[in-house]
Amino acid sequence: MLPVIAPLLIQTDKSFEELYHSHWEKVFAVCYQGTRDLEQAEDLMHEIFQSLWERRAELRVEGPVANYLVRAAKLKLLAHHRDSANRRQIFDQVIPQKADFEETTQRQVDYHLLSERVSELVADLPHPCQDVFVMSRQKGMSNKAIAASLVLSEKTVEYHLTRALRFLGKHLSEYQH
């Protein structure tokens, strides 16, 4: 013979209060045993009873209500531990990414500041040094091509380039590690 499935009769506030007062300690004990945290156990217990109240119209319990509530508490604990593990895993993945992002952002800021400073210093170079530096370092031209373009000897191009690099090195010493 099949067991009779009877609805859990929680149709009034009073019947819910009676159910709560009869079983809260057992549900709390199961939750506390699984978490070892009073606050967390209390939260889980309240979630279980809240779920009962919200599903009171369609809820069907087979067997003693106490057994049902203990099973509900154990399932809630499993879900809690699964969610906690997922949060930890996500946290462990996000923190290194955040650090990498912050480091990358800082590098971009540093690069931008350095680029601005180099541009300011290049603008302060004497005109022939400035032309040679821009053609060599920013346009990527060879010394021979620069010499041909400016109608200078390669030695003169080397001289202006060396002079520009020394000037920049002297004024950018705070950026060197």
Side-chain angles (χ1 to χ4, degrees):
M1 182 167 169
L2 293 172
V4 176
I5 300 174
L8 178 62
L9 297 175
I10 306 175
Q11 296 179 357
T12 65
D13 290 351
K14 184 168 176 47
S15 61
F16 179 75
E17 284 180 34
E18 288 173 6
L19 177 74
Y20 180 83
H21 288 295
S22 302
H23 300 287
W24 78 266
E25 289 175 333
K26 180 67 175 168
V27 174
F28 177 81
V30 172
C31 292
Y32 180 74
Q33 183 178 7
T35 61
R36 297 288 181 215
D37 180 326
L38 290 173
E39 217 173 280
Q40 191 65 53
E42 188 175 343
D43 289 345
L44 293 173
M45 179 197 62
H46 287 299
E47 288 175 21
I48 291 166
F49 281 103
Q50 179 181 354
S51 174
L52 283 176
W53 177 255
E54 291 169 354
R55 298 177 307 124
R56 69 188 177 274
E58 69 272 356
L59 188 63
R60 302 288 181 257
V61 176
E62 183 179 327
V65 174
N67 292 353
Y68 173 82
L69 291 172
V70 168
R71 279 194 317 268
K74 289 178 180 178
L75 290 172
K76 182 60 91 173
L77 277 170
L78 286 172
H80 167 72
H81 289 304
R82 181 195 62 229
D83 294 346
S84 294
N86 287 342
R87 276 193 298 277
R88 256 192 315 278
Q89 184 180 15
I90 290 168
F91 182 78
D92 291 345
Q93 290 171 353
V94 168
I95 290 301
Q97 290 174 357
K98 183 177 183 261
D100 290 346
F101 175 75
E102 288 173 353
E103 183 178 323
T104 301
T105 302
Q106 185 59 47
R107 285 184 181 185
Q108 289 172 338
V109 168
D110 291 345
Y111 176 79
H112 181 71
L113 292 172
L114 179 60
S115 293
E116 285 180 355
R117 182 68 178 133
V118 167
S119 295
E120 291 170 4
L121 291 171
V122 168
D124 290 344
L125 286 170
H127 196 60
C129 287
Q130 186 181 55
D131 292 341
V132 168
F133 180 82
V134 168
M135 293 171 100
S136 172
R137 295 301 192 255
Q138 293 176 353
K139 295 183 180 178
M141 295 174 65
S142 68
N143 287 358
K144 189 174 190 174
I146 296 170
S149 177
L150 296 178
V151 190
L152 299 172
S153 72
E154 281 188 60
K155 285 286 186 193
T156 304
V157 169
E158 288 174 13
Y159 167 78
H160 287 304
L161 190 55
T162 301
R163 193 169 159 206
L165 292 172
R166 280 189 187 141
F167 177 81
L168 292 173
K170 177 181 170 189
H171 289 88
L172 295 173
S173 61
E174 73 265 15
Y175 291 95
Q176 295 175 355
H177 304 316

